[in-house]
Amino acid sequence: MSEGCVRREFPSRPAVPLALPALVVVLAVERLTMTEVVTWGPLAFGIVLLLAGLLARAASSSARRGEGGLRALVLVLGAACVAAALAGLSCRASVARVSEALASSSVSGWRFELVGDMSPTTTGAWRGRARAEGEACSGYVWLTSPDELLMGDRIRCVGRFLPNADDEWGRSSAAQGLSGSVRVVLATERDEPEGLALLARRVRWAALDVLRPGESDSGALLAACVCGYAPPMRARGLSEEFSRAGISHLAAVSGSHLALVASCVSAVLEGLCLGVRQRCVASILVTGGFVLLCGLPVSAVRAWAMACVSQAVALSGRRGHQLSSASLVGLGMALLDPSLSGQLGFLLSVSSVVGIGLFCPYARFALSEAALALGSMGAGAAGRGVSRPLGQAFGRLGRVGRGALDALAACVVCQASTFAIGASSFGSVSLVAPLTNLLAAPVLGILMPLGLAAGVASPAPVAADGLARLAGAVAQPLLAGICWLSSLGLASIPVSVNLGLALLVTVLLSAVLLVAWPRPSGRLLAGGTLVALALAGAVLLRLRWLAPPRVCVLDVGQGDAILVQDGGNAILVDAGPGDAVGAALARNGVLHLDAVLVTHLHDDHYGGLSTLGPVLSGGEVLFGQGVSGSLTDEVKRELSALAPGSVSEVSHGDVLRVGRFSLRVVSPLGSSDGSQNADSVQLALSFEDGPRTLSGLLTGDGEKDELAAELGRGDVGDVDFLKVGHHGSAVSLGKAEARALSPEVSIASAGANNRYGHPRQECVDVLEKAASAFLCTMDVGDVTVEPGELGPRVTTARAAA
């Protein structure tokens, strides 16, 4: 490989501005106080730090420089703690005040203004963030409407206010400064925005009319990339594809998105032989136009403000202070609006900006050294006759090769700096993201300017239509590549990550790297990369194709989700409520499902179905006989995106094979609409491999009448374990059924403090009198049952309290 195309000078250690650790502390403290995890602790800690710093400064005025820097850091962190704690506590009090005011008054007396685009919900309604204005106070709420409202709309309505519940969604909403949810029944007034906001709306929708996002996948992509309008992407199933490929940032208005637009603009301007000053001014104007095309959402305006400050610093000739200026802007925003500490877009933008500012030059150098080392290894293995032509080819790549290396370095740094936030928020990690971003970069360099030009040219329909068609043609190969990469079996893997711990590890590792700043060895990096890939491959091989035979009753709250797995085969019986099933599969190391069987159409059994895309690639969705005809249009659309063309039905007597497991349908006998507990598909499970055996019964929400009928028909008899029907309700089984089944262990799936009182003591008593050990997921977490020579082997995620 030609060293000229990749060799760089080792970058010096970047100066870390005091504003950066202050920003990190402010975001962390505001998050703690907004979620009520900690109340006055951060304030007290900040006061202690301030006093310690002031006392140290008073004790010695002629300290060495290093000690002076340490005292300054202590003082800044103390001030940051105090300011953040006061801001967070004030914001939390405001959230509570608005919630109380809405709860004690009529919703019709308030005015609500949409501050962002609405998104469709699983129930067919639309939800978006809105500013609520009352007579005595104002704040933010989720606004749910049967019809889509547009960003900037101001409405009065008849509706109902629901305060934040004491659950994960409620706590997350409170951390974002939202006081609850308002469900609109009827909008009595609807006004357009005024002034610049109205101009931005008209410009945006004129551009969307040109791009026609509802007519094609390319139009939907252009609408998201150019105008920040994502609902068509979701409606066409593209959002899931982009998430699996690791490039969701292309279709979201964020700092990362704006940085991408700015880089595309810079690439175009560089070819025009303009000076640095002219390029900076042009970049600010063009990105401002992009923000206008997005409709002036608050997130884009904030990101543009940060970009403008950075460009202004570059214009002043002080490029080394760009990170400092960006940190100061972010710090100011976080102190003025503490709810930003809970908003995913802001956190991802800050992480990306800080990561690139600190480590991108280091990553570029490390990658160039690794590339050279791999090239020399290849030369040693293949001989000079092969390596010389390759080196000449790379040398001819010139700027293109360096640009590809820069793009890869930026991608690696962004992924590393946002891993903790992204993995904990989305529950998955894309393994193909570096490749996807690298391949997409040159296409986007053409697509973005074309899309922006088409949007700006909307007053001239002929020119705008031509540009839009050309942009659509450019988008087609990009879409095809993304869809292909996302369809790979292990394109995205589920993970379960604790946000606080992951962020702490990220900050500590970053601090160690900044302090040590070791010169990377190309051979060590190349060798380490190969070893890491080998270890990762071994782990993936074990999880994907060599899993032991097991049945896992997953802890998904008040719902059912049962995993049956053997080697490379796995099926999930029910998907639980909400999105808890994704995290449950991740913590059990499940990377792939062959099928999901939905026992019946209750939300606590199929509510999480739409979240299974990362593990169900190429798999099937199974229902009981006749049930698929009862599905709503919304569910059909979800299934079309999740498993296109792979929806089937099972009926009495059908047998499903999962490795060495056999699952035989024992109920119901005929067709049903899946609406009743009695309609639940019930499965008799068996496993036999020499001396290791296992038998069981998976009942869905079936109860004692269905059990009695199955026993009477001889469809099922004595079993090793029983998945208790209907979460352990009082009528899930009687004494006769318990004696006939005689399970060694019985497992119920129920959520803590559920309003039904599941599992009921009557059910527990019946099973224990039948000499069956009883376990419930709300007490012990996930329960795993494995075949054994002397009976089932049972393990639980945690010990019973």
Side-chain angles (χ1 to χ4, degrees), residues 294-509:
C294 290
L296 297 179
V298 177
S299 58
V301 173
R302 283 197 300 258
W304 185 60
M306 295 180 73
C308 288
V309 171
S310 295
Q311 292 284 8
V313 172
L315 277 173
S316 69
R318 302 174 67 85
R319 291 185 174 273
H321 292 268
Q322 284 183 286
L323 179 59
S324 177
S325 61
S327 299
L328 280 171
V329 172
L331 183 61
M333 290 178 177
L335 288 174
L336 291 173
D337 184 2
S339 68
L340 291 177
S341 64
Q343 295 182 27
L344 182 62
F346 182 77
L347 295 177
L348 291 174
S349 295
V350 168
S351 299
S352 298
V353 170
V354 170
I356 289 175
L358 289 175
F359 299 116
C360 205
Y362 187 91
R364 284 198 296 262
F365 181 84
L367 287 172
S368 69
E369 292 294 298
L372 289 170
L374 287 172
S376 63
M377 289 179 185
R384 298 287 298 176
V386 175
S387 63
R388 184 171 297 165
L390 284 176
Q392 292 172 350
F394 277 110
R396 283 193 293 269
L397 286 176
R399 182 176 296 177
V400 176
R402 290 192 294 273
L405 195 66
D406 290 347
L408 183 58
C411 174
V412 169
V413 170
C414 279
Q415 280 204 303
S417 58
T418 61
F419 172 82
I421 300 170
S424 63
S425 301
F426 303 122
S428 63
V429 172
S430 175
L431 299 182
V432 298
L435 177 60
T436 309
N437 280 273
L438 184 61
L439 295 178
V443 180
L444 288 168
I446 303 172
L447 181 63
M448 283 289 195
L450 283 175
L452 287 169
V456 172
S458 57
V462 175
D465 185 65
L467 288 168
R469 290 181 183 277
L470 182 58
V474 173
Q476 284 300 328
L478 175 63
L479 284 167
I482 290 171
C483 291
W484 179 77
L485 285 169
S486 69
S487 68
L488 298 177
L490 293 175
S492 176
I493 60 172
V495 294
S496 181
V497 176
N498 179 276
L499 175 60
L501 180 60
L503 281 175
L504 180 61
V505 171
T506 302
V507 171
L508 290 176
L509 289 178

Side-chain angles (χ1 to χ4, degrees), residues 6 73 76 179 240 302 371 375 428 490 521 630 669 700 729 769:
V6 292
L73 178 61
V76 166
S179 299
E240 181 65 29
R302 283 197 300 258
S428 63
L490 293 175
S521 164
S630 305
L669 290 178
S729 71
K769 287 178 181 178

Side-chain angles (χ1 to χ4, degrees), residues 547-600:
R550 58 177 177 166
V551 179
C552 297
V553 181
L554 303 174
D555 181 12
V556 292
Q558 184 63 19
D560 269 16
I562 299 99
L563 170 74
V564 181
Q565 186 177 31
D566 183 23
N569 302 110
I571 187 172
L572 185 68
V573 180
D574 286 328
D579 56 2
V581 67
L585 292 172
R587 63 176 174 259
N588 283 280
V590 179
L591 304 180
H592 174 76
L593 293 172
D594 298 300
V596 177
L597 187 150
V598 178
T599 59
H600 64 299

Side-chain angles (χ1 to χ4, degrees), residues 50-238:
L50 274 175
L51 291 175
L54 290 172
L55 286 173
R57 184 164 187 166
S60 174
S61 59
S62 58
R64 288 174 297 174
R65 182 178 178 182
E67 293 177 355
L70 180 60
R71 284 201 308 273
L73 178 61
V74 171
L75 286 170
V76 166
L77 294 184
C81 280
V82 171
L86 291 174
L89 291 169
S90 174
C91 187
R92 193 176 76 188
S94 175
V95 168
R97 186 167 58 252
V98 172
S99 178
E100 184 179 350
L102 276 165
S104 60
S105 63
S106 172
V107 168
S108 60
W110 292 67
R111 181 185 291 273
F112 303 94
E113 180 182 357
L114 264 295
V115 296
D117 288 322
M118 301 188 94
S119 301
T121 67
T122 56
T123 61
W126 292 82
R127 180 173 59 222
R129 185 183 176 98
R131 180 172 178 80
E133 297 179 353
E135 292 183 1
C137 58
S138 63
Y140 291 93
V141 295
W142 290 118
L143 193 69
T144 304
S145 169
D147 302 309
E148 182 183 10
L149 300 173
L150 303 181
M151 180 169 56
D153 275 350
R154 294 178 295 171
I155 69 165
R156 292 186 183 272
C157 65
V158 176
R160 180 186 177 193
F161 171 70
L162 298 172
N164 292 320
D166 186 19
D167 55 18
E168 185 177 353
W169 174 260
R171 288 187 290 272
S172 173
S173 296
Q176 298 177 56
L178 296 157
S179 299
S181 300
V182 172
R183 293 181 179 175
V184 176
V185 176
L186 175 67
T188 56
E189 293 181 18
R190 182 175 176 179
D191 299 323
E192 288 188 326
E194 299 175 348
L196 185 60
L198 178 60
L199 173 64
R201 171 189 280 195
R202 290 176 176 173
V203 169
R204 187 190 198 200
W205 285 99
L208 288 171
D209 287 341
V210 171
L211 299 175
R212 297 187 288 274
E215 297 181 9
S216 65
D217 288 351
S218 58
L221 172 61
L222 286 168
C225 289
V226 175
C227 298
Y229 187 64
M233 289 268 295
R234 299 189 187 100
R236 304 183 75 87
L238 292 175

